[in-house]
Amino acid sequence: MDDLRHDPELLGRLRDDLAGAEYTVAGVEERLGPLAVAALHREEAVPALRATDRSGTDPSGPDPCRTLVRAFVLGRAVARRALDAALPTVGTAGAARLGLAVAAGADPDDEVRAAVDLRPYTASDQGGSVDWWIASDLGELATGRSLRTDHVLGVGGASTTLAQVTVRTPRRRVLDLGTGCGIQALHATRHAEAVVGTDISGRALEFARFNALLAGESHRIGLRLGSMLAPVAGELFDLVVSNPPFVITPRSPGVPAYEYRDGGRAGDAIVEELVTGVGAVLAPGGVAQLLGNWEVRRGEDWHERVGEWLDRSGLDGWVVQREWQDPAQYAETWIRDGGTTPERDRAAWEHQYAAWLDDFESRDVEGVGFGIVTLRRPVTGAPTLRRLEELTGTVHQPLGATIATSLAAHDWLEARDDAALGAERLTVAGDVTEERYLTPGASDPSVVLLRQGGGFGRAVRAGTALAGFVGACDGSLTVGSLVDALGDVLGVPASDVAADVLPSVRGLVEDGLLLVV
Ligand SMILES: C[S@@+](CC[C@H](N)C(=O)[O-])C[C@H]1O[C@@H](n2cnc3c(N)ncnc32)[C@H](O)[C@@H]1O
């Protein structure tokens, strides 16, 4: 990409052309088929190349959607006449003017090549579904070359993870720190009055502005150049989202530092800085959600280090560790991500691998965690939420609403001591089932699990009293009456039942397995 042109009129026409070509996620999936789509997710282009090869030879003329996939996703040359047909009002000339494509000449048979990746994106949220197009730098699959260090990333797995865990309640001001191509900022326009996107990369901001204009949302996104919180110092936001450059990278010669993933700090300092510092820009009640990696040092549990960050943040904090990798697995993941593989360049691979292991050894790192961090500035008073948990199983995205409900349930519980909780009525959420495990021949289960079908897909082990309590939660009796009745049935004082089950009941309410009537 030399220069993207931010011409609102031309971009408005481009939007119409792209929609007319059925260049949507559904349209592309229909043309490519599941096999080619899945292969593309693995960065394998051959099936998609075969599926789009018909673009120029079809007797009915080139299929516009296939032409666009071939040019803007696969990075292959297409005939000028094919791109003119795919973008009937913008044409190849307009695409070139916007900085999207470069034409070899003006003849209809001349080749045109994409200068950027431009692909459809779809999402649904509380307001319905949206179709956008996201421009970013062409990836390795299209160029066949390693990425440049100022590469601007398109929408990746981490981007969608963050978008899906984001709490999407109506907000006045939202900050997207490290906006990149602007995808989180675009999502925020759906539930915020004003959005600020920041980035250390001027190129990223060019793409973000282009994408905001193409989506027709530029009037609600302000973009600012600068590092971390500097561009918004002294301001307050109701929601901060960040998919920051959290990859831990050795600062050694011969190890490239990619702007999109490497924040330029040693170890996990960038995530620490964000977790401990973001409170400075959070309005009371404001929420910050970010993804991150953290180092697990020898002799420490992962939650000690991250928990200490939470303590320093002065905020409510909830961390879900989703993955853990040992230093070798981590090094392999990120060296490959940068385009170096042992097959392509064994010397570079071994050099980088050793640099990663040296770097981890220098800080006694035994592993690296990856997870989702949710922080919240209490409306008043001191933080009450401090939760660090490991959930590596399948979760049911989008989790944004689950996280919002859980935060609200936490506040509800905080406002009630056990006596007040005793006066409430609860029901079992519709997605909860009970699993009983019996030793063959036994009449009583040795293990009872309460399993959540949605959300985080939690499984909670329940003893006799808790299983009895939950089984009776149909909203007709108060918590206190249920505890009394269980005491009678089990032949123990109600106070013992309360001490046994109420802490777990609180957990089930906070996690949405029990609902307040
Ligand atoms: C992993 S990308 C995330 C892009 C996008 N928000 C998403 O969710 O896909 C991280 C972004 O942070 C930017 N970045 C790197 N260092 C930064 C810093 N010190 N301050 C702000 N942004 C930074 C990079 O340029 C990049 O655009």
Side-chain angles (χ1 to χ4, degrees):
M1 187 273 289
D2 285 334
D3 260 328
L4 283 175
R5 273 281 212 78
H6 300 124
D7 176 335
E9 189 274 329
L10 199 49
L11 282 166
R13 281 198 274 138
L14 177 64
R15 183 166 62 237
D16 293 341
D17 281 355
L18 295 171
E22 295 179 20
Y23 191 47
T24 57
V25 170
V28 170
E29 284 179 358
E30 191 190 316
R31 267 51 168 215
L32 295 189
L35 183 137
V37 169
L40 270 184
H41 281 132
R42 300 190 302 272
E43 291 283 295
E44 291 298 338
V46 174
L49 284 168
R50 288 159 64 93
T52 56
D53 201 21
R54 280 164 277 163
S55 55
T57 55
D58 204 311
S60 59
D63 171 60
C65 182
R66 285 197 175 91
T67 300
L68 294 170
V69 171
R70 207 165 167 85
F72 291 108
V73 175
L74 304 175
R76 296 304 157 115
V78 295
R80 187 176 180 122
R81 76 168 81 244
L83 191 61
D84 281 340
L87 303 175
T89 73
V90 170
T92 300
R97 232 179 16 256
L98 285 168
L100 292 178
V102 178
D107 190 272
D109 289 325
D110 280 334
E111 285 191 344
V112 187
R113 278 190 180 273
V116 302
D117 185 298
L118 178 70
R119 62 180 71 192
Y121 176 84
T122 193
S124 34
D125 57 22
Q126 72 296 334
S129 63
V130 279
D131 285 302
W132 292 316
W133 291 272
I134 303 296
S136 63
D137 272 324
L138 285 165
E140 252 186 286
L141 176 138
T143 63
R145 292 189 302 273
S146 299
L147 305 180
R148 39 191 286 178
T149 52
D150 61 356
H151 179 83
V152 177
L153 207 59
V155 179
S159 324
T160 34
T161 297
L162 179 61
Q164 292 187 315
V165 300
T166 300
V167 168
R168 303 247 172 242
T169 43
R171 302 284 181 180
R172 209 171 65 77
R173 300 193 77 216
V174 176
L175 169 65
D176 172 18
L177 193 153
T179 194
C181 64
I183 187 63
Q184 311 298 339
L186 275 178
H187 271 284
T189 61
R190 307 266 303 159
H191 60 110
E193 287 172 28
V195 183
V196 175
T198 64
D199 209 289
I200 204 170
S201 156
R203 295 186 76 248
L205 293 180
E206 291 282 298
F207 277 109
R209 180 147 181 247
F210 183 93
N211 291 330
L213 279 163
L214 186 53
E217 294 293 348
S218 62
H219 55 293
R220 277 194 293 149
I221 304 179
L223 295 168
R224 303 187 198 168
L225 185 66
S227 182
M228 302 297 277
L229 295 168
V232 293
E235 297 179 42
L236 292 180
F237 296 87
D238 307 297
L239 174 69
V240 177
V241 288
S242 186
N243 170 13
F246 55 73
V247 177
I248 299 166
T249 312
R251 320 257 136 243
S252 332
V255 179
Y258 295 102
E259 223 163 25
Y260 69 85
R261 66 177 214 195
D262 171 10
R265 313 282 201 278
D268 52 18
I270 198 129
V271 181
E272 175 182 2
E273 188 178 326
L274 256 182
V275 171
T276 57
V278 73
V281 299
L282 273 186
V287 169
Q289 292 187 281
L290 51 113
L291 304 180
N293 270 146
W294 36 82
E295 295 183 339
V296 184
R297 307 267 168 92
R298 198 176 316 280
E300 268 183 7
D301 275 332
W302 73 271
H303 41 78
E304 289 178 50
R305 180 174 176 71
V306 184
E308 191 266 331
W309 298 349
L310 290 189
D311 294 340
R312 273 195 283 139
S313 75
L315 303 169
D316 283 334
W318 177 10
V319 182
V320 178
Q321 178 165 292
R322 294 280 297 138
E323 281 173 30
W324 184 93
Q325 286 186 307
D326 68 36
Q329 292 168 320
Y330 190 86
E332 289 164 28
T333 302
W334 293 108
I335 300 169
R336 278 186 195 280
D337 174 83
T340 303
T341 64
E343 298 81 25
R344 268 195 211 157
D345 187 343
R346 178 151 287 278
W349 171 264
E350 287 182 2
H351 172 80
Q352 291 191 37
Y353 208 136
W356 242 284
L357 295 184
D358 284 346
D359 184 50
F360 282 135
E361 269 171 29
S362 72
R363 291 185 299 278
D364 264 350
V365 174
E366 283 187 326
V368 179
F370 164 81
I372 305 158
V373 180
T374 301
L375 303 161
R376 185 177 60 161
R377 174 167 293 295
V379 176
T380 54
T384 55
L385 174 63
R386 187 182 188 281
R387 185 169 190 187
L388 296 109
E389 56 182 340
E390 184 162 20
L391 295 172
T392 52
T394 305
V395 295
H396 305 273
Q397 290 277 24
L399 284 167
T402 303
I403 292 173
T405 307
S406 182
L407 291 175
H410 171 84
D411 296 341
W412 186 89
L413 290 161
E414 277 299 307
R416 283 163 183 79
D417 60 12
D418 282 353
L421 180 61
E424 301 288 349
R425 290 164 208 271
L426 305 173
T427 55
V428 182
D431 65 342
V432 174
T433 48
E434 185 183 277
E435 291 172 15
R436 294 168 182 229
Y437 294 86
L438 290 88
T439 309
S443 53
D444 290 327
S446 47
V447 174
V448 175
L449 285 184
L450 301 169
R451 188 168 301 275
Q452 186 176 41
F456 283 102
R458 294 173 187 276
V460 179
R461 199 170 165 155
T464 311
L466 184 62
F469 181 96
V470 172
C473 273
D474 60 4
S476 59
L477 291 177
T478 63
V479 170
S481 310
L482 283 176
V483 166
D484 290 345
L486 268 174
D488 288 345
V489 172
L490 300 171
V492 293
S495 56
D496 288 2
V497 177
D500 178 16
V501 302
L502 289 190
S504 304
V505 168
R506 286 180 175 272
L508 294 174
V509 171
E510 186 152 355
D511 292 337
L513 285 83
L514 287 178
L515 306 176
V516 179
V517 175

